[in-house]
Amino acid sequence: MRVALSIAGSDPTGGAGLQADLQVFRALGVHGTGAVTALTVQDTAKIHQVLPAFPNVVLDQIRVLLRDITPHAVKIGMLAGDDGVRAVALGLAELEAPPAGPPLVIDPVLAASDGTPLLERRALPALAELCARAALVTPNLAEAEALTGIDVATRAGVEAAARALVEELGAGAGLVTGGHAEGAPDDCLALREGSGVALRWLPGERIAAGAVHGTGCALASAAAAHLALGRDLLGAVAAARAFVADSLRRAEAVGSGARLLGLA
Ligand code: PLP
């Protein structure tokens, strides 16, 4: 059995957060384990309330779990607060570093589509520090700008931000997603290659699905699932992008607000 661990916030709709990650893992044939970093009160229309978990409980969940079940990949989503980020960093110290230990995928969640903050501002430096352990970081444009301090209004800016995720923050790879931008929803991938960084644009297709909940969560958890299955980074990124595109095509209005991905 291949196992992936999601460390994320709870979303009762199942459209994003931990509940969505576990469904993505299952859809891709991977067993999901999970540690909760925050509760949210939300429906498909909006987030009503955010309640961060006690940092010591976040740490205990991860420590106790990792002493029992070693995952083949780890995905990190919403971390809520500075203490939460530090608790997760401490918990991950239970794991061997790659290549012996599992690869880490970080979706640096800052805010929900409705604007609700999901990470306190002062936690950004700790989150940036955590990126040094990541095989892959998957920010959208706003998250890439916040993490790197680089203006991503132009394609050159996006390239510089993707490169900075690897060269400055120390991630193995950075995938800056363009789905929330106007125009072509292309993603920019920066990949460590020897002592340098290789940049490539991955062309995206605009899928008219309206407002859809949880695409960022699904992309990162699908990449983690594919890494858990033993794919290399480029293969995992390509498979995760295809999975999200297929799931967007099958998205359905289950509630009264944003559509939910139809996990392929
Ligand atoms: N709730 C949780 C727990 C999340 O982790 C996220 C996104 O990462 C969201 C809600 C928001 O999802 P969206 O911005 O797609 O509505």
Side-chain angles (χ1 to χ4, degrees):
M1 186 185 287
R2 306 301 284 181
V3 178
L5 163 63
S6 170
I7 301 173
S10 161
D11 171 5
T13 72
L18 181 59
Q19 289 88 334
D21 293 345
L22 296 177
Q23 294 185 63
V24 169
F25 293 161
R26 181 74 270 148
L28 295 171
V30 173
H31 174 77
T33 55
V36 188
T37 57
L39 301 180
T40 68
V41 177
Q42 65 178 297
D43 50 32
T44 55
K46 67 172 203 154
I47 297 186
H48 298 252
Q49 209 177 316
V50 175
L51 185 73
F54 290 119
N56 61 315
V57 179
V58 173
L59 174 56
D60 285 350
Q61 288 177 79
I62 298 170
R63 265 200 183 140
V64 168
L65 176 67
L66 291 182
R67 284 174 189 171
D68 189 28
I69 301 176
T70 303
H72 299 98
V74 179
K75 183 247 159 156
I76 290 180
M78 171 190 178
L79 295 178
D82 190 52
D83 291 346
V85 180
R86 289 172 202 284
V88 168
L90 270 177
L92 292 178
E94 295 290 325
L95 292 170
E96 271 191 87
L104 176 62
V105 178
I106 299 182
D107 176 18
V109 175
L110 297 185
S113 313
D114 72 0
T116 307
L118 298 177
L119 183 78
E120 61 178 347
R121 208 66 203 170
R122 72 185 178 102
L124 260 180
L127 181 60
E129 215 174 289
L130 195 59
C131 290
R133 296 183 183 209
L136 174 66
V137 186
T138 62
N140 62 26
L141 291 170
E143 292 160 351
E145 188 162 311
L147 273 178
T148 64
I150 295 170
D151 180 348
V152 295
T154 62
R155 267 170 104 87
V158 176
E159 289 173 7
R163 180 182 288 281
L165 291 169
V166 178
E167 283 181 347
E168 314 287 331
L169 274 63
L175 179 70
V176 180
T177 61
H180 292 85
E182 311 220 328
D186 301 343
D187 301 338
C188 183
L189 178 69
L191 190 62
R192 187 183 300 285
E193 263 184 15
S195 58
V197 175
L199 273 182
R200 67 189 84 188
W201 280 96
L202 308 174
E205 174 195 347
R206 179 67 64 193
I207 299 163
V212 181
H213 191 48
T215 47
C217 299
L219 179 72
S221 54
H226 282 289
L227 289 172
L229 290 168
R231 291 206 179 205
D232 65 11
L233 196 106
L234 267 179
V237 166
R241 293 178 79 246
F243 176 83
V244 172
D246 286 345
S247 301
L248 268 170
R249 281 189 201 94
R250 301 173 201 217
E252 281 188 40
V254 177
S256 59
R259 289 167 177 253
L260 302 187
L261 288 169
L263 299 181

